[in-house]
Amino acid sequence: MNKAGDAYAVAAVRARMERLLSAEEAAWLWTADEPAVKRALQNKGWQTDRPAEEMARARRQEAWAFVTSIAPDAKALRFLLMPEEFCNVFLCTAWQMGSGEAGPVWARPCLTPPGVLTQAAKEKDERRLPGYLQKSAQAAWQTPRPGPALMRWLQREKRAAMIRLADKSGSPQLSTLARAMAQAETDKALMYGAVYEQDKEELLERLGPGGDNARAIEAAVRGPRALCAFWQAQDGEKALAAETMSPAVFEAWRDGQVLKTAWMLARDSFSPAALAAYWLQTKAETQEVCLRLLPGEPAHMRERGRLQYA
């Protein structure tokens, strides 16, 4: 570990915090009109001369470039981009299995250049890819699955890769954060499965067998009440949230809980957790802004914003 480098990086993040939305500013977004929202975002350094999704993508790429430029070991942060990496494996695989000519809209920022991924998929040569993608890509390309089944399976692979890479970083804080992120993904899948009556096979494909997963899946297939009862024995706050929220709002709440964990871990001045927290906060802000700028009445989307739960 590079304590001096980590301390410098933490100081750089703290100096840049003014670019992030405060809790009050995030709440204000939902009460202001769109021109005022865009002016406020401009003051935070956003590029607002483009559609919301492009604004968000540019903001995420800028934030990732920042955290990796000041990180003593940028490889330690790779686990944070596993959602984008595995999303792109799915997009590439589904595109090549289909007949459409238009290419995917890639998740960005990403670690593996889309051109490299596309060529590897075309040649079915997973050796072109980073080690954390090779086995998953090989299995995806050699054993074709319908799109939804492929997505469920890759989500499971993503969580495992996220934890492995965080553990390799040598940072206990990053390992803790990766596990919190993976658990949030698991909880959201269980909630979705319980509400929309997914069968056991679908949930097993997404979450994998064994341990707590097996018991949670058994509860989820019996429905939301059974899942809430299962969670009540472990975490009353989570059980109450699941009982009172829709799946979309529960997803936002769980993401907000991950942000809380990230900033708590970031209190250590000699840890890369502050870089991870800055990235996750920026990503949550881009989701919030995209929701706010959707056509229609903002009030209907407000409860799905992540920042109010952080």
Side-chain angles (χ1 to χ4, degrees):
M1 301 293 288
N2 183 343
K3 287 193 172 184
D6 284 329
Y8 168 78
V10 170
V13 165
R14 289 174 179 166
R16 201 177 172 95
M17 289 290 287
E18 65 182 19
R19 292 173 63 86
L20 298 176
L21 295 169
S22 67
E24 294 77 16
E25 288 168 333
W28 174 84
L29 289 183
W30 296 96
T31 64
D33 60 24
E34 185 171 322
V37 167
K38 287 189 173 181
R39 286 194 299 272
L41 293 175
Q42 286 172 0
N43 290 336
K44 293 286 186 179
W46 283 67
Q47 302 172 33
T48 60
D49 58 341
R50 57 197 70 189
E53 284 292 345
E54 293 182 22
M55 287 167 48
R57 188 179 304 115
R59 187 68 166 182
R60 289 193 298 271
Q61 289 180 312
E62 176 192 55
W64 185 253
F66 166 66
V67 297
T68 53
S69 71
I70 64 171
D73 178 12
K75 287 179 66 176
L77 302 177
R78 291 180 302 170
F79 77 99
L80 294 167
L81 287 192
M82 290 306 100
E84 287 77 8
E85 289 286 275
F86 279 83
C87 177
N88 285 345
V89 171
F90 170 76
L91 292 171
C92 181
T93 306
W95 174 47
Q96 297 218 349
M97 288 193 305
S99 57
E101 293 190 9
V105 178
W106 303 103
R108 296 181 188 272
C110 55
L111 300 171
T112 306
V116 171
L117 180 57
T118 301
Q119 191 63 30
K122 183 178 179 180
E123 298 175 4
K124 290 186 169 52
D125 182 7
E126 73 282 355
R127 294 170 300 177
R128 291 175 172 265
L129 303 178
Y132 56 79
L133 285 180
Q134 288 182 5
K135 288 185 178 179
S136 303
Q138 181 186 45
W141 298 337
Q142 291 185 355
T143 308
R145 294 173 171 85
L150 176 63
M151 174 62 86
R152 289 192 293 269
W153 179 76
L154 284 173
Q155 287 174 340
R156 173 176 156 189
E157 293 286 291
K158 169 197 71 180
R159 288 191 296 274
M162 192 159 53
I163 291 171
R164 283 196 302 271
L165 288 178
D167 287 347
K168 286 182 179 179
S169 74
S171 165
Q173 292 87 352
L174 295 186
S175 291
T176 297
L177 179 57
R179 282 168 171 76
M181 293 168 66
Q183 186 60 54
E185 291 289 325
T186 296
D187 290 345
K188 291 185 286 187
L190 288 166
M191 176 70 166
Y192 186 92
V195 170
Y196 295 107
E197 301 180 343
Q198 288 187 328
D199 60 33
K200 184 176 181 179
E201 287 69 30
E202 287 178 298
L203 286 169
L204 277 171
E205 194 168 37
R206 188 187 297 266
L207 301 177
D212 286 343
N213 276 357
R215 293 186 288 274
I217 288 171
E218 290 293 342
V221 296
R222 296 198 303 272
R225 287 188 179 180
L227 180 60
C228 288
F230 172 78
W231 278 338
Q232 183 63 48
Q234 303 174 328
D235 184 338
E237 185 182 15
K238 181 163 64 178
L240 179 62
E243 188 174 1
T244 57
M245 295 175 177
S246 70
V249 177
F250 181 79
E251 177 179 339
W253 178 78
R254 281 302 279 121
D255 287 347
Q257 298 300 296
V258 170
L259 269 180
K260 279 185 178 179
T261 298
W263 284 115
M264 179 189 68
L265 294 168
R267 293 172 185 169
D268 185 342
S269 296
F270 300 102
S271 159
L275 297 172
Y278 185 90
W279 162 250
L280 291 174
Q281 178 85 17
T282 300
K283 190 172 181 180
E285 286 188 2
T286 64
Q287 292 168 322
E288 193 101 359
V289 167
C290 284
L291 285 171
R292 170 59 188 85
L293 295 180
L294 282 172
E297 177 53 51
H300 295 307
M301 303 302 294
R302 182 173 184 170
E303 63 181 358
R304 292 172 60 184
R306 272 70 174 157
L307 299 178
Q308 65 184 307
Y309 302 111

